Amino acid sequence: MKATDEILRVWKRFDDFPMETLTKAWLHASGDRFKPRSVDLMREQREQYGTSGNCFDLALWLIDELRSEGIVCYPVGEKLGTEDAHGAVIALDKEGNRYLCDLGDQWIQPILVDPGAEGYTEAELPGFFPGARIAVFSDGVHAKIRYIRPNGKESRAVFDLKPAGEAEFREAAAHSQSLLSLPLVERRMKMCTTGRIVHWEYERGEAKISSDRGLFRESEPYGEDTWARRISRRSGIDETVVRMALDVYEAEGLI
């Protein structure tokens, strides 16, 4: 179910990238409320400020990187143009087998979604999603994903495997850029003591870590610690950018 080395080499360029909605709030504060970013600008701002972007930013960036290596790929989306929209990428290997690449949900690695391909299985698998085993059920048109947590709880998602129109996808990315729904930062991180990959998430004044041992809530900042400082330390985003973004969300009543 794992992607080919060619696809994985590109995917691993994003290992340290959080998925975050802070950059858009920071850009709103700078007057770029409705302006979607080019991939070149995303690279520039990451180099300078450690920012990355939301699921659409990361999908467009990944597509650009994959195509630069000659890998065929295309965007896929759910509920495009709405507040609940989500964007991801399908990458094809040399045999035409499709792999779901979802940086927005912070998958550890892409996964095979072609039911006729060698190696395809619907068994529960570790090592693809932080803090959960997953199981894929694909008919080649849609892929249903089960996320099985250590406590036995499950969640599900359905991905349409048909290509989204690239103009439509970019319009959805621009629409998403114009929305300030909630402050969110997610990052998959490798624990230095065990090598396990966990999922760290900040949302609306709370932070938690999901791992194969369960869900743990982080304590609130105290002393000289602040949410801006902690988020910066966890995500790699410049603390000034984080603070400005949180101020925007607070002014909008979203914290």
Side-chain angles (χ1 to χ4, degrees):
M1 295 289 277
K2 293 181 179 179
T4 61
D5 289 343
E6 291 80 8
I7 294 172
L8 283 172
R9 271 198 294 271
V10 176
W11 173 269
K12 288 181 179 297
R13 296 174 190 173
F14 295 85
D15 276 353
D16 295 328
F17 284 48
M19 190 292 299
E20 45 91 5
T21 65
L22 301 184
T23 296
K24 71 163 96 176
W26 170 61
L27 292 171
H28 282 223
S30 305
D32 292 330
R33 186 176 177 87
F34 297 107
K35 185 189 296 183
R37 295 182 297 161
S38 67
V39 173
D40 283 343
L41 181 57
M42 292 182 211
R43 289 191 180 100
E44 202 175 294
Q45 291 174 338
R46 178 158 183 80
E47 181 70 25
Q48 190 168 1
Y49 303 107
T51 55
S52 53
N54 67 7
C55 63
F56 286 100
D57 294 325
L58 293 172
L60 291 168
W61 197 336
L62 178 59
I63 287 170
D64 189 79
E65 293 281 345
L66 288 166
R67 288 178 177 169
S68 73
E69 299 294 335
I71 297 170
V72 176
C73 61
Y74 59 83
V76 292
E78 295 293 331
K79 302 178 181 178
L80 296 181
T82 73
E83 290 188 5
D84 298 321
H86 182 67
V89 177
I90 295 291
L92 282 69
D93 65 18
K94 292 177 181 177
E95 282 70 46
N97 297 315
R98 294 172 294 176
Y99 296 85
L100 175 67
C101 305
D102 192 352
L103 289 169
D105 274 348
Q106 290 290 286
W107 281 64
I108 296 171
Q109 59 181 310
I111 193 162
L112 181 67
V113 289
D114 263 319
E118 183 180 355
Y120 174 83
T121 179
E122 296 181 349
E124 297 178 8
L125 300 171
F128 285 89
F129 194 85
R133 287 171 292 122
I134 59 88
V136 175
F137 299 87
S138 174
D139 62 5
V141 179
H142 295 89
K144 299 177 182 179
I145 312 290
R146 290 171 56 216
Y147 305 84
I148 305 101
R149 308 289 173 178
N151 61 4
K153 288 186 178 180
E154 290 190 19
S155 57
R156 301 186 179 216
V158 179
F159 292 87
D160 188 338
L161 302 180
K162 298 190 301 294
E166 300 213 7
E168 180 190 10
F169 193 82
R170 290 181 182 277
E171 285 177 13
H175 179 68
S176 178
Q177 186 70 21
S178 72
L179 300 175
L180 285 177
S181 51
L182 74 159
L184 180 63
V185 184
E186 300 180 32
R187 186 183 170 194
R188 59 192 189 281
M189 301 187 301
K190 182 178 286 189
M191 303 298 289
C192 58
T193 53
T194 63
R196 297 197 321 274
I197 295 177
V198 302
H199 180 272
W200 181 86
E201 177 179 352
Y202 166 86
E203 181 179 353
R204 278 185 172 169
E206 293 185 351
K208 57 189 178 183
I209 294 174
S210 301
S211 76
D212 57 5
R213 296 184 178 179
L215 178 66
F216 304 91
R217 297 194 180 278
E218 283 194 329
S219 60
E220 293 188 3
Y222 62 94
E224 294 184 358
D225 197 14
T226 63
W227 277 122
R229 185 169 296 175
R230 186 180 297 181
I231 292 167
S232 175
R233 189 170 64 246
R234 293 289 198 197
S235 68
I237 303 172
D238 185 277
E239 187 178 340
T240 302
V241 171
V242 177
R243 191 164 52 246
M244 288 178 63
L246 294 180
D247 286 346
V248 170
Y249 280 115
E250 187 172 15
E252 295 285 335
L254 296 170
I255 298 180

